[in-house]
Amino acid sequence: MNSLKPLQAFLEAQQDNPIEAIGSYISEHIEQNWEKVLTDNREKLLRAYNEGGDMAYGTYLNLLFLPVHRQFKEMGIRPAPKFPGDFDISREWGSEEGTDQQRWMWSTVFSPEEEPLGTIVTIVFHDHTQFRVPRQPRILAVHETGKEDVVAVLSLKSPDFREALEFTAEYEQYLRSLQE
């Protein structure tokens, strides 16, 4: 992985806004490593896609976020759930062909004292027709921490997010359509 200054340096630079500092840290990490993780793990990710379909994107994100989780653990900072977030409440939309999708997931970040600092939203771009990450994942840092508050602020940021269903609701709708 490319070198990245420690999380501590980001937090010291923005002491009065730790969630923004954390968002900047993760964004810089992603910018430096998103393509390298794809390249270095290409065979593993293609195999995962061929065996499990879209679950391969979860494998990719786990590999991408591993160094971030290590830094957080060293500092006593805890994301809940682990990055990139809870798939069940995530939202996805994109092209009808399924070749240019984006999924928004999020995690609340807690200080070493277990106080909520804010929420990190991960936006992952992907393709349902083949394993492909067409663009660098993006990070949004928001101050809201409760699910309803996060949904409200993200709905203001993106009309597509506002219109998309949570994964569990989308999946239930899909299952009902198979029975009709």
Side-chain angles (χ1 to χ4, degrees):
M1 299 283 161
N2 292 343
S3 63
L4 178 66
K5 64 182 171 180
L7 176 59
Q8 182 67 40
F10 280 84
L11 291 172
E12 288 171 359
Q14 295 185 36
Q15 289 179 348
D16 55 340
N17 202 339
I19 198 63
E20 294 291 333
I22 288 167
S24 295
Y25 171 80
I26 297 171
S27 291
E28 191 169 312
H29 167 75
I30 288 172
E31 184 176 327
Q32 291 180 15
N33 295 289
W34 78 279
E35 291 174 304
K36 183 171 179 21
V37 170
L38 284 170
T39 302
D40 290 354
N41 297 282
R42 181 156 180 74
E43 293 305 315
K44 176 195 290 188
L45 294 168
L46 287 174
R47 190 169 46 256
Y49 186 81
N50 291 333
E51 292 171 6
D54 288 346
M55 289 188 297
Y57 294 111
T59 301
Y60 166 69
L61 291 169
N62 286 337
L63 292 167
L64 182 61
F65 278 108
L66 186 59
V68 172
H69 285 290
R70 287 182 183 137
Q71 281 281 317
F72 274 54
K73 189 172 184 175
E74 286 176 18
M75 301 253 341
I77 296 173
R78 181 181 62 83
K82 285 180 66 172
F83 298 124
D86 184 346
F87 188 82
D88 286 346
I89 63 170
S90 69
R91 297 187 185 193
E92 177 181 283
W93 61 91
S95 68
E96 278 192 40
E97 305 80 30
T99 58
D100 189 15
Q101 309 303 109
Q102 59 181 286
R103 180 169 296 281
W104 291 31
M105 299 173 271
W106 60 91
S107 301
T108 301
V109 179
F110 293 89
S111 73
E113 295 78 28
E114 288 297 314
E115 293 188 27
L117 300 172
T119 298
I120 295 296
V121 180
T122 303
I123 303 169
V124 62
F125 303 94
H126 58 287
D127 186 330
H128 287 299
T129 65
Q130 62 180 317
F131 181 79
R132 185 175 70 92
V133 180
R135 299 188 285 296
Q136 170 182 320
R138 287 187 41 223
I139 296 295
L140 298 174
V142 298
H143 295 275
E144 292 75 12
T145 56
K147 178 185 171 190
E148 292 77 20
D149 293 337
V150 171
V151 167
V153 76
L154 295 180
S155 293
L156 291 173
K157 290 183 179 292
S158 169
D160 289 322
F161 178 88
R162 183 176 53 245
E163 298 297 319
L165 295 174
E166 281 187 9
F167 171 75
T168 52
E170 180 183 9
Y171 192 66
E172 285 173 13
Q173 189 177 53
Y174 167 73
L175 292 175
R176 276 195 305 276
S177 75
L178 293 177
Q179 295 173 347
E180 295 171 353

